[in-house]
Amino acid sequence: MDLQAHLNTITGFNNLELLAGQIVEGFISGMHKSPFHGFSAEFAEHKVYNAGESTKHIDWKLYARTDKLYTKRYEEETNLRCHLIIDNSSSMHYPALKSSDLNKPNKIAFSVLASAAIMQLMKKQRDAVGLSVYAENFEFYAPEKGGERHHHMLLNQLNQVLIKPNKDRKTDVYTNLHFIAEKLKRRSLVFLFSDLFQNEIQQEKTFEALQHLKYNKHEVVLFHTYDSATELNFDFDSTPKRFEDIETGKSIDVFSENLKDAYYESVNKYFNALKLRCAQYNINYVSADIQRGFAPILSTFLVERRQFL
């Protein structure tokens, strides 16, 4: 599966700019504002000139009008630091891919393809990108960098995630997100791709870890991946079936029609609670129903993000 070749067949992304919603740091000249003041092209404000400072940036026109010395202060334009985080547990590989057609992705394929598309945007803007992959244990980490070699290394890692399904692999969001939060030393835009099927205790611990990222001034975007047909609407026929937890191996035999209404009510309640918690912690929640396909979801997110910044 050649992610780059597939991306090249998709239109609608190349002219969209993924702008940071909050002030971010950077190290090369780009299009995103830095909290540090330098002397670049964009004027910010005047400040009173103090004896001993350089006279290079004194506003002489303002001096002619006011008979007072002021220097021009500028905002430095910098690039965005972006870090992609992918949950690679067994549940993310549901449903099993029956072909290499990425227009019909499962949850992990959606996450990989959306990550590759974001990387392409970051590359176009000369932004630095990093990647983390985890399941029960931490599997891969690459810090935020630019450059062609780094870009291809991340694409190769995404391909490996896609073609090597993890069987009987649980997920430990809490521990791994705390680890990532410690690794990210500078403020970044963080994308998390996960289905977040957890019990109440695990959910509470997950948001503690997300708070760690927010406390460190990172902007967090959660792509909540799920299959609405089966994981929300429980759309199965009326014949008896054996449902198996692909992370623990536990199974149960039931008639799906007897559980459908109660199941939908429970899962829908959980999804709404998840959205509410994200709103409370100022985390950008993106509903990523794989039935819609990755392109409509990502393009809608990018358009809305640009409009409301």
Side-chain angles (χ1 to χ4, degrees):
M1 299 182 187
D2 190 338
L3 287 176
Q4 193 62 53
H6 185 75
L7 285 173
N8 291 337
T9 68
I10 299 169
T11 59
F13 292 98
N14 290 335
N15 294 324
L16 293 171
E17 297 171 349
L18 185 60
L19 301 176
Q22 64 185 43
I23 296 176
V24 295
E25 296 176 16
F27 58 92
I28 62 175
S29 177
M31 65 178 64
H32 302 281
K33 288 184 173 59
S34 166
F36 301 111
H37 287 278
F39 290 100
S40 62
E42 185 172 348
F43 173 75
E45 61 183 357
H46 285 102
K47 67 179 287 286
V48 176
Y49 172 78
N50 294 312
E53 292 181 346
S54 171
T55 60
K56 180 179 179 181
H57 300 285
I58 291 178
D59 189 334
W60 296 109
K61 291 182 179 180
L62 185 60
Y63 171 74
R65 295 197 303 268
T66 64
D67 201 31
K68 294 181 180 179
L69 291 174
Y70 292 92
T71 57
K72 292 181 178 179
R73 210 174 180 195
Y74 295 82
E75 284 185 338
E76 190 177 22
E77 295 283 327
T78 69
N79 80 316
L80 172 67
R81 300 176 68 86
C82 171
H83 198 85
L84 304 163
I85 306 173
I86 296 179
D87 175 358
N88 193 31
S89 58
S90 296
S91 65
M92 288 290 289
H93 290 262
Y94 174 86
L97 279 178
K98 297 180 181 179
S99 70
S100 59
D101 182 6
L102 290 179
N103 290 305
K104 299 178 181 179
N106 61 5
K107 290 185 286 186
I108 197 66
F110 171 90
S111 303
V112 165
L113 194 53
S115 295
I118 292 172
M119 282 171 48
Q120 184 165 295
L121 288 171
M122 298 297 102
K123 179 183 177 182
K124 180 181 178 66
Q125 297 175 182
R126 297 190 302 159
D127 290 329
V129 184
L131 174 67
S132 291
V133 180
Y134 72 88
E136 190 170 9
N137 299 310
F138 205 77
E139 298 180 356
F140 178 82
Y141 173 81
E144 302 77 34
K145 293 182 181 180
E148 195 70 25
R149 184 176 180 180
H150 182 74
H151 181 79
H152 284 293
M153 184 268 288
L154 295 187
L155 278 179
N156 179 67
Q157 182 61 37
L158 290 176
N159 267 308
Q160 294 303 309
V161 169
L162 193 61
I163 64 179
K164 294 182 178 179
N166 280 328
K167 296 183 178 180
D168 302 322
R169 297 289 298 277
K170 301 178 182 178
T171 183
D172 186 349
V173 181
Y174 173 79
T175 301
N176 290 304
L177 284 186
H178 274 301
F179 177 79
I180 295 169
E182 291 296 328
K183 297 282 284 185
L184 299 181
K185 300 302 183 182
R186 303 180 70 179
R187 285 182 289 178
S188 304
L189 173 59
V190 177
F191 289 93
L192 171 62
F193 295 87
S194 177
D195 54 15
L196 290 181
F197 276 111
Q198 305 168 313
N199 59 38
E200 291 183 2
I201 296 176
Q202 291 172 325
Q203 182 189 21
E204 192 66 33
K205 295 180 71 175
T206 293
F207 275 94
E208 287 180 12
L210 289 172
Q211 276 186 289
H212 190 175
L213 288 167
K214 294 295 295 183
Y215 179 80
N216 289 348
K217 309 299 183 182
H218 302 298
E219 182 182 1
V220 180
V221 179
L222 168 62
F223 276 83
H224 181 211
T225 58
Y226 64 95
D227 178 11
S228 62
T230 56
E231 294 182 320
L232 176 59
N233 298 320
F234 211 58
D235 188 13
F236 297 97
D237 59 44
S238 59
T239 59
K241 286 183 171 54
R242 172 167 293 177
F243 293 91
E244 181 178 334
D245 186 330
I246 56 179
E247 291 193 4
T248 65
K250 295 180 179 180
S251 62
I252 183 172
D253 297 326
V254 297
F255 285 94
S256 59
E257 61 182 6
N258 295 337
L259 297 176
K260 186 172 184 177
D261 292 341
Y263 175 89
Y264 174 81
E265 181 179 352
S266 178
V267 174
N268 190 56
K269 181 180 179 181
Y270 172 72
F271 280 16
N272 288 333
L274 193 62
K275 295 175 188 176
L276 180 61
R277 292 294 295 274
C278 286
Q280 290 173 339
Y281 292 115
N282 197 27
I283 295 169
N284 193 338
Y285 175 91
V286 180
S287 177
D289 174 13
I290 62 172
Q291 292 293 327
R292 293 178 56 199
F294 99 96
I297 295 172
L298 190 60
S299 58
T300 299
F301 164 72
L302 292 171
V303 170
E304 291 179 349
R305 182 176 179 82
R306 184 168 187 179
Q307 287 177 344
F308 289 100
L309 287 179

